[in-house]
Amino acid sequence: VVTRDACIARDAADELAALRNSFTLPPNMIYLLGNSLGPLPRSAPAHFQRVVQDEWGAHLIGGWNLSWYDEPTRLGERIATLIGAGPGEVVVADSTSINLMKVVYAAIEQQRSDGRILVGYEAGLFPTDIYVASSVARSVGGSAVALDIVDGELPDLPDGLGAMVLSHVDYRSGRLLGMRALTKQLHDRGVLAIWDLSHSVGALPVQLDDCEADYAVGCTYKYLNAGPGAPAFVFVRDRLLASTRVLPEGWFAHREPFAMSPSFAASDDIRRLLVGTPSVVACAGLHASLDIFDSTDIAKLRAKSLALTDLFTEVVTATSSDVDVVTPMDPDVRGSHITLRHESAYPIVRALIDRGVVCDFRAPDGMRFGFAPLYLRHVDAYDAAVAVVDVIRSETWRDPRYAMRETVT
Ligand SMILES: Cc1ncc(COP(=O)(O)O)c(C=O)c1O
């Protein structure tokens, strides 16, 4: 097994190591939840300060003409470079749940004239995606069906299926799906592919155009480090844009919002995916984080993420047989977090957090460890693995205070 000294040597040779200095990370903490909420970029407070003090404070409503109005598309263009999208295919707005609602509705609208009003979703999808897919399908007289993807293969698809929602990386297991093959299989059967990139964007290369994905959504507060509640993004394949109808039709999607016309006419461009006024202040955090991505390369980040998840898993499994590794270790199907299973996962996670190893619990028995390659070191992966084994072996997790549930787990 690799030694701690070898990990220190790997960090010394790591060309991405300096990127860690771009973030505020509390001392004595190994932060393994960048897959849930990324840390604060050091430059973010200055970006917030600029928007709040220099723009809002000095210009008041003039800020809209200064730069605010175009923030959704400006940020969309920046995110496009991380997800293999072209100009005019991505916009930043609302939450992932709301953006998913827009594109599921749009997809079914495209398909319903062929009698396709069923929405498929990958069994085990993040709950909000299931709720959104089901409620939108119901609202158009259809329904949503869970479909099991086994070994990267779709099952037989039901007649009447119009669209399918898939998660690129599974939030629970960390399994990565083959976007190209699955999108093609869906297209061969006349089904539109909607991808949730929340757990892949910023951690691994995504090639939406190349894979011919139809629609995609994703969070910016995870690996994109834009801050709690920062707006999400939505992607529409250029060939589908003109036929994409969005519900609700809001004034920011209007071709001429300030004509104040009582009738709606959708914008010709990606702005038709907007609804109302964007969260300008929250957008500042996303700019700060994307500046850091601009200074590096997603292929290098992916290589480091794989090295970190390999290292962590290797040390845990070589020194303990008390946990099962849920995440597939084949790099072709592995995301950027590792999930371990243990029947006492909840108190183990609480004990780890107490030791400064910040990870989380996913019911019923999962422990998630996110390895964000922008700021984590090899030695962090090593120390975290040693802590996991030690907490289990020493049974410190049996302390009754670790059994108490917190609101957010
Ligand atoms: C895969 C996935 N999709 C969607 C969401 C929900 O995003 P939001 O709360 O921004 O709507 C999350 C949140 O963690 C997620 O992990």
Side-chain angles (χ1 to χ4, degrees), residues 95-98 126 128-129 167 171 196 198-199 219 221-222:
S95 65
T96 302
S97 307
I98 296 294
F126 190 80
T128 200
D129 292 24
S167 193
Y171 80 103
D196 185 334
S198 295
H199 291 273
C219 300
Y221 49 74
K222 299 178 185 289

Side-chain angles (χ1 to χ4, degrees), residues 1-4 7 309-320 378 381-387 389:
V1 185
V2 64
T3 62
R4 191 169 196 277
C7 295
T309 49
D310 267 334
L311 174 58
F312 173 79
T313 314
E314 187 188 319
V315 177
V316 169
T317 54
T319 49
S320 170
H378 297 82
Y382 181 90
D383 288 345
V386 169
V389 174

Side-chain angles (χ1 to χ4, degrees), residues 176 204 302 306 310 328-335:
L176 169 68
L204 51 95
R302 172 61 170 162
L306 287 173
D310 267 334
M329 291 314 288
D330 176 349
D332 289 342
V333 288
R334 187 195 330 161

Side-chain angles (χ1 to χ4, degrees), residues 26 28-37 349-361 368-371 376 384 387:
N28 306 320
M29 179 191 282
I30 301 177
Y31 188 68
L32 302 181
L33 283 186
N35 55 319
S36 203
L37 175 69
V349 162
R350 294 289 308 276
L352 282 166
I353 295 171
D354 234 15
R355 275 179 66 142
V357 177
V358 181
C359 52
D360 71 6
F361 164 78
R368 292 193 310 176
F369 304 86
F371 288 91
L376 286 175

Side-chain angles (χ1 to χ4, degrees), residues 44-119:
H47 279 266
F48 288 120
Q49 173 87 359
R50 172 181 49 78
V51 174
V52 173
Q53 207 77 42
D54 305 350
E55 298 179 2
W56 179 23
H59 297 275
L60 290 101
I61 199 143
W64 286 108
N65 283 324
L66 205 63
S67 63
W68 299 345
Y69 185 73
D70 292 325
E71 276 298 47
T73 45
R74 189 178 300 120
L75 282 165
E77 298 299 293
R78 297 193 74 181
I79 288 180
T81 63
L82 291 173
I83 55 177
E89 287 186 319
V90 184
V91 74
V92 164
D94 306 314
S95 65
T96 302
S97 307
I98 296 294
N99 287 333
L100 186 64
M101 184 200 106
K102 297 173 196 169
V103 297
V104 171
Y105 176 80
I108 289 303
E109 274 292 296
Q110 315 242 358
Q111 298 278 56
R112 70 196 294 183
S113 58
D114 294 336
R116 292 174 177 266
I117 49 169
L118 294 183
V119 180

